[in-house]
Amino acid sequence: MAFATLSERNIRTAANGTSDGAKGNLCRTWTAPMILAFLFLLALCFQDSSPFGIETGTVKPYHLMMFVVLIYSLFTLKMKWMLPGKWFFIGLLALLIISFFDYLAYGLNAASWHYVFMYMIATCFYNLGRDFTVAQWKRVAQTVAIVMMGLVFLKLGFYHDRITYFLANQYMGHPWLPTFFLGGVNIESSWLAMFCVFFDCNRRGKAYFFSAIALSMIYASRASLIICVLAFVYIFVFKNGKRGVSLRLFLAVACIVCAFIALAANGNIVIERLLEAGQDDGSLGRLRMWDYAIPTFLDAPLFGAGSGNAINHVSLISGLAYAEDNVHMYFLQVLLDFGIVGFFIFIAMVCSFLNRCFLDKLGSPFEAFILIFLIVSFIQFGGGDVLVGFALGGLFALWQYGEREAVCSIEITNNQSMEAAA
């Protein structure tokens, strides 16, 4: 299999006038790298084995799968591995240097390894998918999303008694269930909602979107519902072409407002929890942590307390014990973990990303995925997330693919012009 020449072969096929149907068949073909990407992404979703009645260990399926991908791609597919780009390298280098200094003062938290492994995952997906088209990436992500959504609903059927109990006792906040994703039902529904950006406004996309909405309601997850709303705006407004964006945005906002009013009128638990934001136990717990953010930062302003140590540092400064393992605001987490040095590097990376999103007009589902992650990270997520590694790898791969396609297109046009002139 000549994997390294797939992109050039696609360009020549398109230049020679191949029909849209033939090009569609090319996108629907499962190549060896696509199968590896599917299996690896599926493994990333099995973060917790408790739904199978197995105790979750330190070594997880995706740890083993990463080495399978590495060995198979290097020795069977003969791939030449590369780092994605300069910002990727700068971020990794800053992480290692700052973690070293923090280790001397505060010790090493497991989150350091999570970050390193996130970068390794991103490198794997980047090298696997350097020649993937957008359609091929979407096919991989959609297949994994549908499989996981199906498994989650099967799990809900198995634990229907707990769901029934929760619906009768909604003061619990969320149903108590084993999850495939680490972090509980709120995180599980959030990650599955994030996959909505890989779908289109067709029957499959609508079915998945409403499944994600239903799961948000069953789990009573505010964050997941917010993600669904943002994904809806992206799919309806930005994925349907450049014309009529203002009209579609108006219609999207109108639909969201009408749905919000209808659900609120019917006493929906998720809408009630949204209206109670700042007053419920979850919000008050976050506010208590954030009250000590400034004194915690001033205690270690330059390099922070080390990746994952923010909540321990807040607890030390405040004298209070917290059950959480992060501060539930990723930007604040970065500031407290890595200090002002790491925070400035992170903000520079975010600004560079946002600038590219603006220039591309959110042309990639990975751009939408990471943008929604950054928005929701003000109330959710803790850092070093493995699925962010997947999104970063796909993002850099598509950026490079688009740049390479542009160069190939220019070369083909020049060659055709020279042939015509001859």
Side-chain angles (χ1 to χ4, degrees):
M1 173 184 167
F3 174 71
T5 62
L6 180 59
S7 175
E8 290 79 0
R9 196 163 61 244
N10 290 350
I11 285 291
R12 287 197 297 269
T13 301
N16 290 334
T18 302
S19 67
D20 291 339
K23 285 184 277 185
N25 289 333
L26 182 62
C27 294
R28 287 193 291 270
T29 302
W30 281 87
T31 63
M34 284 179 67
I35 294 171
L36 275 180
F38 162 76
L39 294 174
F40 194 16
L41 180 56
L42 187 65
L44 292 182
C45 295
F46 286 103
Q47 302 168 15
D48 194 334
S49 57
S50 59
F52 301 106
I54 303 172
E55 185 178 352
T56 302
T58 305
V59 178
K60 297 177 173 58
Y62 57 82
H63 291 123
L64 302 176
M65 191 62 202
M66 195 197 72
F67 289 104
V68 172
V69 170
L70 179 65
I71 293 169
Y72 190 83
S73 61
L74 288 176
F75 296 102
T76 303
L77 298 180
K78 308 296 183 184
M79 292 171 53
K80 294 181 180 179
W81 277 45
M82 299 185 299
L83 286 177
K86 64 176 183 179
W87 278 115
F88 184 90
F89 178 76
I90 290 171
L92 178 59
L93 188 64
L95 169 69
L96 295 175
I97 293 174
I98 294 175
S99 295
F100 172 75
F101 284 113
D102 288 333
Y103 166 72
L104 298 177
Y106 298 96
L108 189 66
N109 189 291
S112 299
W113 299 112
H114 295 163
Y115 273 106
V116 170
F117 203 79
M118 183 190 77
Y119 274 94
M120 293 171 68
I121 290 169
T123 304
C124 281
F125 277 108
Y126 169 75
N127 285 282
L128 274 178
R130 284 205 306 264
D131 285 302
F132 287 8
T133 62
V134 176
Q136 288 171 318
W137 275 115
K138 285 166 61 178
R139 186 164 178 78
V140 169
Q142 286 178 17
T143 306
V144 171
I146 291 170
V147 169
M148 293 307 303
M149 186 67 79
L151 288 174
V152 167
F153 273 93
L154 283 175
K155 180 191 68 178
L156 292 180
F158 185 79
Y159 290 102
H160 63 89
D161 54 334
R162 298 193 187 185
I163 299 298
T164 304
Y165 182 81
F166 166 71
L167 294 176
N169 302 273
Q170 295 184 355
Y171 64 86
M172 296 167 56
H174 303 288
W176 186 259
L177 297 171
T179 56
F180 296 108
F181 296 80
L182 284 175
V185 296
N186 198 30
I187 296 295
E188 181 167 82
S189 59
S190 295
W191 283 123
L192 288 173
M194 293 281 284
F195 278 104
C196 286
V197 300
F198 293 101
F199 290 83
D200 299 312
C201 194
N202 52 26
R203 284 184 296 178
R204 180 189 299 175
K206 291 174 184 176
Y208 186 86
F209 175 76
F210 285 112
S211 297
I213 290 283
L215 189 63
S216 302
M217 298 300 176
I218 294 170
Y219 282 174
S221 172
R222 292 173 292 189
S224 176
L225 184 61
I226 292 170
I227 293 170
C228 288
V229 169
L230 294 173
F232 167 73
V233 172
Y234 166 69
I235 294 169
F236 185 73
V237 176
F238 294 100
K239 289 187 73 173
N240 287 314
K242 299 178 182 179
R243 288 189 173 185
V245 171
S246 299
L247 176 60
R248 290 199 300 273
L249 182 59
F250 172 78
L251 292 174
V253 172
C255 288
I256 292 166
V257 171
C258 290
F260 184 90
I261 293 173
L263 290 171
N266 287 309
N268 181 268
I269 180 63
V270 184
I271 302 302
E272 288 181 358
R273 294 191 72 223
L274 280 171
L275 295 174
E276 293 172 357
Q279 302 174 356
D280 62 296
D281 291 341
S283 299
L284 292 174
R286 287 174 168 83
L287 293 173
R288 280 194 296 269
M289 285 189 287
W290 299 343
D291 282 341
Y292 294 95
I294 293 178
T296 302
F297 165 69
L298 293 177
D299 189 60
L302 195 58
F303 295 118
S307 56
N309 285 332
I311 189 65
N312 297 329
H313 201 187
V314 170
S315 181
L316 179 67
I317 297 298
S318 66
L320 301 173
Y322 298 97
E324 293 86 352
D325 59 358
N326 63 82
V327 297
H328 289 280
M329 183 190 287
Y330 188 54
F331 286 78
L332 181 59
Q333 180 88 24
V334 171
L335 179 64
L336 299 182
D337 276 354
F338 302 107
I340 197 68
V341 174
F343 185 73
F344 276 150
I345 294 173
F346 174 70
I347 291 299
M349 294 170 70
V350 170
C351 289
S352 176
F353 164 75
L354 293 177
N355 179 62
R356 182 64 182 260
C357 288
F358 176 77
L359 295 175
D360 291 347
K361 295 180 173 58
L362 285 179
S364 161
F366 289 109
E367 292 175 348
F369 188 101
I370 295 174
L371 181 60
I372 292 174
F373 171 83
L374 291 173
I375 294 171
V376 181
S377 69
F378 280 93
I379 57 172
Q380 185 86 294
F381 305 122
D385 303 281
V386 293
L387 288 175
V388 173
F390 155 71
L392 287 173
L395 178 74
F396 284 115
L398 274 183
W399 280 355
Q400 189 196 68
Y401 181 89
E403 293 166 0
R404 196 166 63 249
E405 296 289 83
V407 172
C408 290
S409 296
I410 293 172
E411 290 178 352
I412 289 171
T413 302
N414 291 339
N415 291 337
Q416 289 177 340
S417 299
M418 293 174 63
E419 290 173 0

